[in-house]
Amino acid sequence: SSSGNGSPSFRRKPVIIIVVGMAGSGKTTLMHRLVCHTHLNNIRGYVINLDPAVMTLPYGVNIDVRDTVKYKEVMKQFNLGPNGGILTSLNLFATRFDEVISVIERRADQLDYVLVDTPGQIEIFTWSASGAIITEAFASTFPTVVAYVVDTPRSADPSTFMSNMLYACSILYKTRLPLILTFNKVDVVAHQFALEWMEDFEAFQAAASSDHSYTSTLTQSLSLVLDEFYNNLKSVGVSAVSGVGMEAFFKAVEASADEYMETY
Ligand code: GTP
C-alpha cells in the first residue's frame, strides 16, 4: 500500500506528525511522552519546536524556531503584543521553512518520525498563513498527519465535546490531512464515552439533552454533520502521564500515513 498514486520519488518516511491541541489539553506533556517512547523503543525520531514563546521544554529539540527568531525582540521591534509577536515570529520562520525541509530531506533515511510541536495558542498555527505554509511545505514533501489532542475529562461535558469536535473538524477540512483524535488523560477518564458518542449520535443527543442550556435542534443538526466527519478519522486514547496508549498512537499514525500515500 506504500506505492499510492503520488510521484514515484515520494518517500514513505519519515512521517511528519503535527501535534495541535487546545491550551491545557496536555500537548507539551504528550510531546514529552512521545519523545521518550521513541527513545526507549529505538524509533528514529526528530523533534521540531514551532512555539516561539515557550520558555522551557521538558524534552530535547532538533530544530527550534527560538534559535532563528527571538520572540521578545520581534515584539519590541514591531511594537506588538504577545499574540502578534508569536504570529510575526512564526511568519518570519515560515519564510525560511525550505531550509527546515532540506535538513529533514538530508536525514530522511535515518528517520522514522518527525514530531512537530505547535504554539500553545492553537489558532496561531491553525488559522494563520504561516501555519498553512508550514503545513503545506511538510505535506508536499513527506507523508504528514495531524494529531489533535483532546482533554478527555473536560470533553465528558457534551457542549465541550461538541466544541472540540467542531474545532477538529475545521482543522481536518482546512488541512485535508489525515487527522488522529488523540484523547489524552485517559488515566483520569476513559475515552469510551467519546467513542460511543461518535458511533451513535443518538447516544450523544441523549447526553446533550440533559444539558438544558443547549439548543436541542442545533445539537441535533450538528451531531448529524459530525457523524460524517467521524467516518473520516481515527481515534486513540492515551495518557501522557501514565504512558498508556503509545503503541496505539503510533499504529494510528502508520495507518494515517498509509492513507496519506493512497490519497495524495
Ligand atoms: P501548552 O499549550 O504547550 O502549554 O501545553 P498544554 O497546556 O496543552 O498542556 P500541558 O502539557 O502543560 O498540560 C496541562 C496540564 O494537564 C498539566 O497540569 C499536566 O500535568 C496535565 N496533563 C497532561 N497530560 C496528562 C495526562 O495524560 N493525565 C493527567 N492526569 N494529566 C495530564
Side-chain angles (χ1 to χ4, degrees):
S1 65
S2 63
S3 58
N5 54 10
S7 88
S9 62
F10 198 92
R11 294 174 193 269
R12 172 64 175 74
K13 292 251 157 170
V15 179
I16 313 286
I17 309 170
I18 301 176
V19 183
V20 297
M22 299 281 183
S25 61
K27 195 168 58 62
T28 303
T29 317
L30 182 62
M31 275 292 296
H32 189 194
R33 175 61 67 180
L34 292 170
V35 171
C36 289
H37 181 83
T38 59
H39 289 170
L40 290 172
N41 292 278
N42 291 320
I43 299 168
R44 301 168 308 169
Y46 208 65
V47 184
I48 300 182
N49 171 46
L50 294 181
D51 189 349
V54 72
M55 302 284 267
T56 51
L57 285 173
Y59 48 87
V61 175
N62 299 98
I63 298 176
D64 197 330
V65 59
R66 295 175 301 173
D67 295 337
T68 310
V69 223
K70 304 291 175 210
Y71 152 75
K72 289 247 164 81
E73 282 164 31
V74 169
M75 271 178 72
K76 273 193 212 124
Q77 190 184 341
F78 298 97
N79 195 24
L80 299 164
N83 285 327
I86 298 171
L87 191 60
T88 304
S89 299
L90 204 60
N91 285 342
L92 293 169
F93 194 62
T95 62
R96 296 178 54 186
F97 211 72
D98 55 320
E99 293 171 38
V100 174
I101 299 292
S102 302
V103 169
I104 303 168
E105 275 183 315
R106 279 201 296 279
R107 285 173 172 72
D109 293 336
Q110 293 115 53
L111 294 176
D112 298 314
Y113 301 108
V114 176
L115 287 161
V116 183
D117 197 1
T118 56
Q121 276 102 327
I122 184 171
E123 68 278 8
I124 286 178
F125 189 77
T126 54
W127 293 102
S128 68
S130 50
I133 288 166
I134 289 169
T135 304
E136 178 56 28
F138 277 133
S140 60
T141 323
F142 307 103
T144 304
V145 307
V146 175
Y148 181 79
V149 186
V150 179
D151 186 323
T152 310
R154 283 200 61 199
S155 298
D157 168 58
S159 59
T160 306
F161 181 81
M162 175 71 86
S163 310
N164 231 326
M165 293 304 113
L166 287 173
Y167 205 94
C169 187
S170 72
I171 292 171
L172 179 79
Y173 288 105
K174 199 159 187 298
T175 64
R176 307 211 155 257
L177 292 171
L179 189 134
I180 303 165
L181 281 179
T182 309
F183 288 99
N184 188 31
K185 312 192 186 184
V186 296
D187 58 302
V188 182
V189 174
H191 71 304
Q192 188 59 37
F193 73 87
L195 298 180
E196 278 162 21
W197 287 352
M198 291 164 70
E199 241 158 60
D200 176 3
F201 68 88
E202 285 174 338
F204 175 77
Q205 287 176 354
S209 67
S210 64
D211 177 354
H212 296 296
S213 66
Y214 231 61
T215 316
S216 71
T217 42
L218 180 64
T219 312
Q220 288 188 9
S221 325
L222 288 177
S223 56
L224 285 168
V225 173
L226 285 171
D227 202 45
E228 175 58 31
F229 159 70
Y230 297 146
N231 292 330
N232 290 308
L233 27 102
K234 298 184 172 54
S235 314
V236 52
V238 300
S239 167
V241 165
S242 79
V244 97
M246 290 302 113
E247 281 83 9
F249 177 83
F250 281 100
K251 229 176 125 183
V253 168
E254 281 302 312
S256 299
D258 287 343
E259 186 192 315
Y260 178 99
M261 295 305 285
E262 278 154 23
T263 317
Y264 299 89

